[in-house]
Amino acid sequence: MSDGSDGKAERVVRRGRPTGDRAAKRAELLKAAASVIAQEGYANASLRRVAQRAGCTTGAVTYYFANKEELVTALAESRFDAYEAMLEAGRATADIRAVFEEWLTLITGDPEFLPVMFQLLAHARHEPAFAALIERRYARYRQANTDILACGQEQGVIRDDIPADLLSDQLSAMGDGWMMMYPFEPERFTPERLRSLVDAAVTLISPVSPPAGSKPK
């Protein structure tokens, strides 16, 4: 009669430590999770479906992420990391257009970026712990954006008749609105129209010119 040790040893072998670059494998699994969420919705993004999309076993997924919540949390963090990296483009020079250009590159280079963020924000409404993560990372993003805008105001390249934090909220609201509607009306958000929207946003936050013929104060 077997004591089960052989079966246990077999399980250990099957679930042994994966070989290769850990960071690269995590990134591959996050990409697979994003693809499933974008195409099939958050509710259908089980670890099994992510494993299938990545071409690996569910056990390989659970080696890096204990459960779906841990996987989704890592995905959200990676998305906000991308936002913060985007802001670095304009931090040194207070060039808000450069920030927008990086944003365009981000979302046009990855057509799943906006649908995934939409799904994650919708999920956060029903998960307090996940909502707290979104709130914390959004606050960091808005503050960094506010700092860039405030610097631009000091340099005279951003309108200063509206506080920088309000401008940051307005820009965030516009971006969130585009993200919300993208899954429903993707035809409205062609690369050309997105660029036009960005140009309009830059115009809205540019210094206000005095009316023609008016005398300077």
Side-chain angles (χ1 to χ4, degrees):
M1 184 174 178
S2 173
D3 62 2
S5 59
D6 291 342
K8 184 180 294 185
E10 183 181 358
R11 285 194 297 273
V12 170
V13 170
R14 284 204 310 266
R15 292 178 57 84
R17 182 173 183 174
T19 59
D21 186 329
R22 179 181 177 86
K25 186 61 179 180
R26 279 176 60 90
E28 179 185 334
L29 294 174
L30 291 178
K31 182 177 180 180
S35 180
V36 174
I37 291 172
Q39 297 176 23
E40 303 179 33
Y42 177 86
N44 295 316
S46 64
L47 294 183
R48 181 177 64 83
R49 290 293 296 121
V50 171
Q52 290 174 344
R53 188 63 58 91
C56 64
T57 65
T58 305
V61 179
T62 57
Y63 177 81
Y64 294 96
F65 306 102
N67 49 46
K68 179 177 177 177
E69 285 305 307
E70 187 173 304
L71 173 62
V72 171
T73 296
L75 178 59
E77 294 275 17
S78 72
R79 285 315 206 235
F80 278 103
D81 287 345
Y83 277 141
E84 292 187 0
M86 174 187 75
L87 291 177
E88 287 301 317
R91 188 183 296 274
T93 59
D95 186 350
I96 201 67
R97 181 176 286 277
V99 172
F100 276 125
E101 292 291 341
E102 287 295 317
W103 181 81
L104 276 176
T105 300
L106 181 66
I107 64 172
T108 56
D110 180 4
E112 295 178 343
F113 193 92
L114 291 182
V116 169
M117 286 302 296
F118 174 79
Q119 290 281 334
L120 293 179
L121 292 178
H123 164 61
R125 293 183 58 191
H126 308 288
E127 294 290 341
F130 191 66
L133 163 67
I134 296 294
E135 180 181 7
R136 174 174 57 82
R137 292 303 302 263
Y138 245 115
R140 278 173 50 178
Y141 167 75
R142 285 195 304 269
Q143 185 57 56
N145 205 26
T146 298
D147 293 343
I148 294 173
L149 291 166
C151 185
Q153 288 176 332
E154 292 176 0
Q155 296 179 13
V157 296
I158 300 293
R159 63 186 300 169
D160 60 4
D161 56 326
I162 299 175
D165 63 313
L166 295 184
L167 288 178
S168 179
D169 269 359
Q170 290 286 0
L171 293 176
S172 295
M174 283 193 291
D176 292 344
W178 298 340
M179 177 176 62
M180 181 180 70
M181 295 309 300
Y182 180 87
F184 303 105
E185 301 177 290
E187 67 280 359
R188 284 184 58 218
F189 298 97
T190 62
E192 294 76 15
R193 193 165 190 276
L194 279 171
R195 184 166 296 280
S196 295
L197 289 170
V198 165
D199 288 341
V202 170
T203 299
L204 289 173
I205 63 172
S206 295
V208 179
S209 300
S214 64
K215 296 180 180 180
K217 295 181 177 181

